Amino acid sequence: MSITALRSLRSASRDELRARITEGHPVDPKAIEGWVYRGTALGMPAIAVKLTWRTFQKTFHRLADGRLVGWNVRLEQDGIDAPSRPKRRHSLPLWTWPYEVVSPSGIPTPPGFDRGLLIDYARAPNPPQQRLVKDPLVALTPGDYDALLGVSYLVVGGRTIETPTYFTLEREHRVDFVPDIFLEHRWIG
Amino acid sequence: MDRLSEAEREALAAIFEAILGPVEAHGLPAFRSVDREDFHRILETAPGPLFLPGLRAMLRTIELATLPSHRARLSRLPLEARREAVERLGERDVFVLRQILSTLKILATFAYYEDPEVRRRTGVDVDASAPSGSSGASHLVDVDGRTLLRPAAFECDVVVVGSGPAGAACARKLAERGLDVLVVEEGLEAEPASFSASGLRAMARLYREMGTSMALGNAPMPFLQGCAVGGTSVVNGAINWSLPDDVVERWIARDPALAETFDRGRIEAYDRELRARLRITPTEDAIAGRKNLLLAEGAEALGLSHRPIARNVEGCEGCGRCLQGCPHGHKLSVDRNLLVDAVERGARVLAGMRVDRILHDGRRAIGVAGASAAGVAFDVRARRGVVLAASAIGTPALLLKSGLDDGPVGRHLTAHPGVSLTARFEEPVTNFRGATQGHEVTGLRAEGLKVEALGFDASIVASRVPGFGGPLAPRLAELDRYAIWGTAIRAEGEGSVRLVRGRSQVFYSLAKEDVVRARRAVRRMGEMFFAAGATEVYPGALGYPEIVRSREEMARFEEEGPLSPRAYAMSMTHLFGTTRMGSDPRDAVVDPHFEHHYVRDLYVVDSSVFPTNLGVNPQLPIMVVASIAAEYVARD
């Protein structure tokens, strides 16, 4: 899928976006590891965009033990199509919400949300409320991993709760920075 | 995409028509004789994102200016009343009004001279609407960002950001040393045969943000930067000076650690080599054109030393189109030599690829990332080093965007602000013909002034002759009588480059001494004009008579001319110092070997590292310094 086509999803309805998730295609973990993707939140109310963020980055990094992990990077909100500019602390990107990327098999998902990979925040050292969140991730065209679509849902007491938080991911650049918790093997699975 | 509404287009056309005056009464075509869809499309796409909002604000202000007197918006007045109103507004000594009217006047002349018939009758090249796209031929470029539709990753030893004089000179030397070099350039490769004679189209295609970038300060000033493979060398006047000894001595006196880097023998060796490679030779009288010869006559009469400008050209025909890009390929911009040398030694050039960020882990730079002209991401991994040659604005902005704000990055911006003067001669001067900048006065350098003849497209010359409405039209009918000279001032003022919502913004204020120098420059140029036979000189200084008619009157300008920085319509040229070099990390961004004080394998090689301004045109010094820098990049 071209970047232009991916960006056209910005004006898609939630029903359309949900259909894209449930009709999505598998994602090859090897094709995304070592890369930073630029994320754009879709379908968020204007007030939520103002208070939080519209654009962000997601990274995919393979640990020495074979697990595919990642973290979000907060971006300066310069505009939806402005170049990514990470917020920084001591010149390093400000990262949040670490996660592990896994296959959805055996994990509760809403119907049809199991077609790609799953970003699982419960498998990372996050606060309890963040550990409830999972993001299914699908390719929009078979074999094309430059443009991905994701959505967040919650797992509470074994039950799944869908949210309206959809996002697109565009491949951006290779990982240039790995947070210390991954380098020092302090990762808690 | 933001677009002008039909009502806005119509209002602009009505105001342009009024500004230009009754041109048809003076044998020129009427303003509304051609369709201007292309003109509007260029305005909507080529300038920076602040241009259209700014234009709308100016339009609203000028529209309302006639409400008190006419009870109607300017554009709604009948043509005669509209012309008269514009004429009256132009006579008022109000800074904001002058800024607005000057901007609208240049847009009006840009629009007017798009008409081939106007150009024909003015005696200038008529191919204003020549194709502005690439011919498709590519000699240098490995990847054209317009065709990069999927994210891409590149590997190399050294990535060089920017392909202008600094980037090309450094890449050439690195490639000579056997390194795998990748040059990344935001602009596109430009084929001389596709260069348009039109000032508007040239600026839209070859200049960053169509030349609409402004430095903010006590006198807002536009500044121009090229945006093409070859950088500003594609659109400059091809002027070359050696790095002056007195400047180098001052740098070393200030920081003795720079002595090894700026060793005189090393500088001279590179200077000689580059002069030979770029075929730098003095401008010949045969192609100089009248405007340059008149400057020689004026300087001679005043006893000021002067000389033909040494330019990097070969076979120049004096078509006067250097600033629009030489259509004959006779200007030897760096895409025609230094980059060619680099590519022959294995370097690759990516064009239409904007670098947005340096990839680093806080201790070491490992590459760069950005987006192609098609809007998709790319990154480059560099095994040996990242070299920044993105100009004194682009380089600090890139560091700041990458979170590298250690030291005085972006501060200590120095420049050569320029002030220009227009004069009328009884004889044809034909400013738009002859070597664009072919003669210079060197005798005022001790006073911090360097005078040059300036050649512009007719549309720009038309914007520089005085008057609005009625008085302007007859002057447009005799446009070949006007000459423009300019002075670059070695200024004391300092400025900065900062990020505003992720975009670079230049802030710069003239020091009091700089305004005094600008005033002296106007006087000196005016005296030379009269000595050369001019009948009228237009100081263009707010609060001063619009026309000066004698040398004696001109001499009084230095005493009586205004001292407000806003009184002069100046532009910024030659920018330096925003990541300056020095041994103290608190006072400098890069060390004496061009490497970032805190981030290994990150180098800056452009004019950002110059500790001060030079007082002369910096193209050759930039190439010399970047060649020296390559020795350190390769060594490390």
Side-chain angles (χ1 to χ4, degrees), chain A residues 140-156:
Chain A
L140 292 160
T141 307
D144 180 351
Y145 310 115
D146 294 336
L148 308 173
L149 180 67
V151 62
S152 296
Y153 72 93
L154 309 176
V155 179
V156 182

Side-chain angles (χ1 to χ4, degrees), chain A residues 1 3 7 35 57 77-79 83-86 88 91-92 144-146 170-177, chain B residues 150-151 153-155 354 356-357 359-362 366 369 375-379 381 401-403 499 501-502:
Chain A
M1 169 179 255
I3 296 300
R7 291 177 186 173
W35 284 89
Q57 286 177 323
Q77 297 303 293
D78 293 330
S84 297
R85 190 163 60 99
R88 294 186 181 262
S91 90
L92 297 178
D144 180 351
Y145 310 115
D146 294 336
E170 295 174 29
R171 195 192 294 272
E172 198 165 25
H173 61 80
R174 284 168 286 186
V175 173
D176 59 327
F177 154 78
Chain B
R150 300 188 71 88
F154 303 90
E155 310 275 344
R354 186 193 66 231
D356 294 323
R357 188 154 71 264
L359 301 176
H360 66 92
D361 62 5
I366 56 172
V376 300
F378 73 93
D379 83 350
R381 277 297 164 101
K401 287 174 188 173
S402 307
L499 291 187
R501 282 188 62 78

Side-chain angles (χ1 to χ4, degrees), chain A residues 18 22 104 106-114 118-120 131-136 151-164:
Chain A
R18 192 179 190 288
T22 57
I107 297 173
T109 63
F113 278 33
D114 57 354
L118 196 70
I119 292 175
D120 191 347
R131 296 168 74 98
L132 304 175
V133 181
K134 302 188 194 305
D135 298 342
V151 62
S152 296
Y153 72 93
L154 309 176
V155 179
V156 182
R159 295 170 64 90
T160 60
I161 304 169
E162 291 185 40
T163 77

